[in-house]
Amino acid sequence: MLLATPRPLLRGAWHGQVRTCSPLGVVSRGRPGTAAFVRSCTNSYDQAGTAAAFAQAVSNNMATYALMEAAAVEAALQRALPQGLHNVRVIDIGCGEGRWSRALAARGAVVTGVDPSQELVDMSNAAQKQKQQHEGAAGVMNGRVDFVHGSVLDPTCLAGRQPADLALSVMVLQMMRSSRELAAMAQFTAASLRPGGDMLFIFVSDAYEPCDEQNRLMAADWGWESRRTSPFTTDDGAAILAVLFTMVASSRSGDAVQVLNLQWPRADVERAFVAAGFTRLRWATFDEAVPGSEASLMYTRNPHAALLTATLAG
């Protein structure tokens, strides 16, 4: 498997207050599910805290989900890179706390994780240094992974770096708040790759529709749930469907975390990446249920995640 098997499920209620985050990377004020909620924002969003909450949810409460995610990514990697990951150059766009960067580096890839949060970059570099000290020669070798501060809106963070063979991005595209930002992400991805390089993106599907029974199972087994909220009006006037995800409490603050995710239409996503020079676009979902998990079985029938792969034209 691509990832180590997560720790056993830890079931329990959410504790503390709920911090609600918009795709702008800020806390939204107003009652969730209302137009005021998706429009009203402040600048107090703890980006690193939210990423830490998601990392905790994956490792503690979302064991079966992580296995499904890993299986889907593994299948895509085997199609794109049948020779394996040894010395393959990877850029992890929106790497967060670095769980995917470290997982690929452990497979022999040379990974650069990029994130707009300097705090997350510092956290990731510190965690990697600790991992190397703990595992020594058996762990990830020096230089196999590093984390840099940067944004898809500012490709200068790629200056001086060799083009990658693979661009990975997990649960970031839904944070783009306008067609301009969606196009910028596609252009950034193209700029990060060599001709013929591949991209592998996971993001919230436009076909996903939250339902009560699925939420009950996900809340019990995985520690998170989702629900429909008002459409989000982007900077350029488009109304995009949105879903609100609630995750388990963050170890940093003791708060549950809610994140508003845009469900970009498949046609808009394809248009942006084709315009950036990508070909051979291929869509997939998480379709392998984990034995014994009712939540994962129901999830395969209504997956929230879409997986898109494509190749940069030579």
Side-chain angles (χ1 to χ4, degrees), residues 149-167:
H149 181 241
S151 163
V152 296
L153 302 180
D154 181 15
T156 59
C157 67
L158 301 177
R161 293 182 175 272
Q162 294 187 35
D165 304 298
L166 174 71

Side-chain angles (χ1 to χ4, degrees), residues 38-243:
V38 296
R39 289 197 305 265
S40 176
C41 300
T42 71
N43 290 321
S44 57
Y45 169 45
D46 178 6
Q47 192 172 43
T50 299
F54 184 77
Q56 184 186 44
V58 169
S59 63
N60 288 350
N61 292 76
M62 294 165 62
T64 51
Y65 173 81
L67 292 173
M68 295 170 70
E69 182 184 63
V73 172
E74 182 71 21
L77 286 174
Q78 288 178 0
R79 289 193 299 268
L81 300 164
Q83 74 277 14
L85 287 167
H86 184 67
N87 286 333
V88 169
R89 293 191 173 277
V90 179
I91 182 167
D92 184 0
I93 301 171
C95 62
E97 43 68 58
R99 69 186 180 99
W100 277 105
S101 294
R102 288 189 292 273
L104 296 179
R107 295 275 294 275
V110 180
V111 185
T112 297
V114 179
D115 199 272
S117 167
Q118 183 63 61
E119 184 178 4
L120 279 174
V121 170
D122 293 342
M123 287 169 54
S124 298
N125 278 319
Q128 181 59 23
K129 183 177 180 180
Q130 184 179 32
K131 178 181 176 68
Q132 291 171 347
Q133 292 173 342
H134 176 71
E135 297 185 0
V140 179
M141 299 299 292
N142 288 329
R144 287 292 184 183
V145 59
D146 70 310
F147 300 95
V148 299
H149 181 241
S151 163
V152 296
L153 302 180
D154 181 15
T156 59
C157 67
L158 301 177
R161 293 182 175 272
Q162 294 187 35
D165 304 298
L166 174 71
L168 174 75
S169 183
V170 179
M171 291 298 167
V172 177
L173 184 141
Q174 68 263 20
M175 301 301 174
M176 301 300 103
R177 69 181 184 272
S178 67
S179 298
R180 179 184 65 84
E181 289 195 359
L182 181 62
M185 186 174 197
Q187 294 291 342
F188 181 95
T189 305
S192 72
L193 288 170
R194 61 168 175 79
D198 294 290
M199 58 164 275
L200 193 169
F201 276 39
I202 296 174
F203 50 92
V204 176
S205 168
D206 64 341
Y208 174 66
E209 187 60 46
C211 70
D212 291 342
E213 178 62 15
Q214 186 175 14
N215 273 331
R216 182 187 67 80
L217 292 171
M218 292 192 306
D221 277 9
W222 298 350
W224 64 277
E225 64 181 11
S226 63
R227 58 191 174 88
R228 173 68 59 211
T229 188
S230 300
F232 183 86
T233 302
T234 66
D235 289 353
D236 40 11
I240 306 296
L241 289 177
V243 288

